[in-house]
Amino acid sequence: MSTTLIWLILGACLCLSELFVPTAFVAFMMGISAFIVALLSLALGNLWLQALCWLLLSTTLILLSRKYISPRRRRSKIRDAVLAETITEIPPGKTGRVLYEGNSWQARCDDDNAFIAAYQRVYVVRREGTTLIVMPENILHS
């Protein structure tokens, strides 16, 4: 069995495996690399050189697919001046809970000296990890 046929079979198996086990295009790119190496194997006789080409091509194609094909993970941005309501009080410099978009979130006041009572409307200023940074509605309207 020639190395060209082995690379073609390997490429087909890797590309087909992407259909059954989604790997975010990793197996597919490795299969495409195997097809390219099958063409190169006609000129490259050394199996170690073919394997090295496959590794380099696979790595390059996977990195390119991450950059151009895969959807970019966007940082979650809170829209400006979005209203929420406190569930618990938020003492100065401490955290409490707010109801934001139907979910309970941990929240902290942007002003470390401000006290926010329970069931008060607040503006969501930004998000830091899983904590919302809020400002009381009455401070912003004063």
Side-chain angles (χ1 to χ4, degrees), residues 85-91 95-98 116-120:
E85 183 178 347
T86 58
I87 299 171
T88 64
E89 64 182 29
I90 302 175
T95 60
R97 304 292 297 175
V98 297
I116 305 174
Y119 307 107
Q120 184 177 344

Side-chain angles (χ1 to χ4, degrees), residues 45-66:
N46 189 349
L47 182 61
W48 291 107
L49 190 57
Q50 292 173 17
L52 180 66
C53 286
W54 179 72
L55 287 172
L56 291 174
L57 276 170
S58 294
T59 304
T60 303
L61 287 177
I62 290 168
L63 292 176
L64 287 175
S65 73
R66 294 281 187 254

Side-chain angles (χ1 to χ4, degrees), residues 1-120:
M1 186 181 277
S2 73
T3 57
T4 305
L5 185 59
I6 292 171
W7 286 113
L8 288 173
I9 292 171
L10 178 66
C13 290
L14 285 168
C15 287
L16 286 174
S17 72
E18 185 70 38
L19 292 173
F20 302 107
V21 182
T23 61
F25 294 111
V26 173
F28 184 73
M29 292 302 158
M30 291 171 70
I32 296 296
S33 298
F35 288 139
I36 294 170
V37 171
L39 292 174
L40 292 176
S41 70
L42 300 173
L44 300 173
N46 189 349
L47 182 61
W48 291 107
L49 190 57
Q50 292 173 17
L52 180 66
C53 286
W54 179 72
L55 287 172
L56 291 174
L57 276 170
S58 294
T59 304
T60 303
L61 287 177
I62 290 168
L63 292 176
L64 287 175
S65 73
R66 294 281 187 254
K67 186 172 183 177
Y68 295 110
I69 295 175
S70 297
R72 289 195 169 94
R73 292 184 181 178
R74 296 184 188 140
R75 298 181 81 191
S76 175
K77 293 184 180 178
I78 303 288
R79 297 180 300 263
D80 292 335
V82 176
L83 283 175
E85 183 178 347
T86 58
I87 299 171
T88 64
E89 64 182 29
I90 302 175
K94 306 260 185 201
T95 60
R97 304 292 297 175
V98 297
L99 186 63
Y100 173 70
E101 292 187 347
N103 293 313
S104 173
W105 287 74
Q106 181 174 312
R108 188 178 75 240
C109 185
D110 199 26
D111 181 5
D112 288 335
N113 299 321
F115 174 82
I116 305 174
Y119 307 107
Q120 184 177 344

Side-chain angles (χ1 to χ4, degrees), residues 96-142:
R97 304 292 297 175
V98 297
L99 186 63
Y100 173 70
E101 292 187 347
N103 293 313
S104 173
W105 287 74
Q106 181 174 312
R108 188 178 75 240
C109 185
D110 199 26
D111 181 5
D112 288 335
N113 299 321
F115 174 82
I116 305 174
Y119 307 107
Q120 184 177 344
R121 286 173 40 147
V122 292
Y123 284 105
V124 177
V125 179
R126 67 182 179 278
R127 187 177 110 182
E128 293 177 359
T130 59
T131 302
L132 297 179
I133 308 302
V134 298
M135 284 296 289
E137 184 179 43
N138 59 359
I139 289 178
L140 295 177
H141 289 295
S142 327

